[in-house]
Amino acid sequence: MTQPALDLVIAALERIREKNDRAPRASRTALARLQAFPVAASPREACTSATDRQLQAQNKADLLAAVRERVCVCTKCAHLACSRTQTVFGVGNPDADLMFIGEAPGADEDQQGEPFVGRAGQLLTRILKAMNFAREDVYIANILKCRPDMPAGSFGNRPPTPTEMQTCRPYLVEQINIIQPSVLVALGAVAVEGLLGTRAAMRELRGRWHTYNSIPLMITYHPAYLLRNQAPSEKRKVWEDMLQVLERLELSISERQRNYFL
Ligand code: SF4
């Protein structure tokens, strides 16, 4: 982008600012993309902005690594510390605009040490792709960092108990405080309960904006729900929630994206 072009963009933003009560908003993703364009008149300034962003991301990565170290050796829930293969901290961009929160690791996540890698996780990855995100662009974490234990010889996963969630929640709060995403997405009722302490039917919670610590929070169904209920109407509900997220992040949405699952 040349300096005259950048001047035009800034002038347009100023016109929007004059016409509205609120200043025009721009997500960090949108700003990063704008900054990625070399400015012919002042390349040094452009480099400085990109470097600032890299330093910020590195700082957040270091802070997250320190929390991860504490989680790795955490034994606050003695029964889970005994039964887990490993802790499952979180994955993705430490400087993400968008952060997803699930409930707890399942058997696959416990084995691999990464959240959302089983069938539900693969579906989440496909949803992200439809939003034009890679997993590395966003941050994904769970309320609980250890797999809820199961009786010997039984299969499947169980939801975390309120006590387990309350015990582990401070780690998630630290992750959110470090990452400072522009938008949070809670996946499923258990994640909502762990994050907000609210118990309500998903049909009443999903599809509208809530807030967590002043961060816009979208609540939607857990991908596992979509695996159980494959009706296009349910997929469309989740997709409409994600369209709201894209709009909130001020990212462009194609006509094709708008019409998914219609
Ligand atoms: S679930 Fe959380 S609080 Fe409990 S032992 Fe695991 S890391 Fe620690």
Side-chain angles (χ1 to χ4, degrees):
M1 184 179 284
T2 62
Q3 188 60 49
L6 193 56
D7 288 344
L8 279 175
V9 172
I10 292 167
L13 288 172
E14 280 176 353
R15 280 200 296 281
I16 295 169
R17 186 193 297 274
E18 280 162 17
K19 280 190 200 152
N20 293 285
D21 295 339
R22 293 187 303 119
R25 293 181 66 251
S27 67
R28 286 204 292 262
T29 303
L31 288 175
R33 284 181 183 165
L34 190 59
Q35 284 165 355
F37 286 104
V39 177
S42 57
R44 188 173 292 171
E45 280 175 18
C47 286
T48 305
S49 299
T51 308
D52 285 351
R53 189 72 201 256
Q54 279 169 2
L55 282 173
Q56 178 174 296
Q58 186 54 50
N59 188 31
K60 289 183 178 186
D62 292 344
L63 291 168
L64 284 174
V67 183
R68 181 195 287 266
E69 274 181 29
R70 282 189 277 123
V71 167
C72 276
V73 294
C74 179
T75 56
K76 284 197 273 181
C77 316
H79 59 300
L80 300 186
C82 289
S83 62
R84 72 189 178 209
T85 304
Q86 58 193 315
T87 54
V88 179
F89 182 66
V91 71
N93 179 0
D95 197 27
D97 269 337
L98 179 56
M99 178 169 176
F100 287 82
I101 298 169
E103 56 183 63
D108 294 319
E109 289 76 17
D110 175 67
Q111 284 299 318
Q112 296 186 40
E114 185 173 322
F116 282 93
V117 292
R119 283 182 66 223
Q122 287 159 19
L123 178 53
L124 176 62
T125 303
R126 291 203 296 278
I127 292 170
L128 287 173
K129 198 171 168 201
M131 296 171 79
N132 285 337
F133 284 121
R135 272 172 78 96
E136 308 78 61
D137 294 329
V138 303
Y139 196 87
I140 306 170
N142 283 315
I143 302 282
L144 217 67
K145 310 303 185 205
C146 297
R147 184 189 180 207
D149 55 347
M150 297 290 290
S154 60
F155 296 98
N157 301 309
R158 71 162 172 86
T161 66
T163 304
E164 289 166 346
M165 289 196 283
Q166 218 179 347
T167 309
C168 202
R169 187 176 180 277
Y171 293 131
L172 177 71
V173 171
E174 283 191 78
Q175 287 173 299
I176 296 171
N177 289 344
I178 292 168
I179 296 164
Q180 296 174 34
S182 304
V183 171
L184 285 166
V185 176
L187 299 165
V190 176
V192 175
E193 188 185 343
L195 189 64
L196 303 181
T198 306
R199 268 192 204 210
M202 280 299 289
R203 65 179 175 280
E204 290 164 17
L205 295 170
R206 66 147 287 274
R208 60 189 174 86
W209 289 103
H210 306 253
T211 55
Y212 167 79
N213 257 359
S214 305
I215 303 172
L217 166 70
M218 176 55 67
I219 294 173
T220 196
Y221 291 117
H222 193 285
Y225 169 80
L226 292 182
L227 292 175
R228 292 193 301 272
N229 185 344
Q230 306 222 359
S233 58
E234 298 308 286
K235 291 179 185 169
R236 177 67 195 178
K237 284 177 191 166
V238 171
W239 184 242
E240 281 176 4
D241 299 342
M242 296 305 101
L243 287 176
Q244 288 199 60
V245 167
L246 289 174
E247 280 169 3
R248 193 81 185 213
L249 290 169
E250 298 171 5
L251 295 171
S252 59
I253 302 171
S254 69
E255 209 44 42
R256 189 160 171 258
Q257 281 175 308
R258 286 209 184 276
N259 293 332
Y260 281 161
F261 307 114
L262 275 182

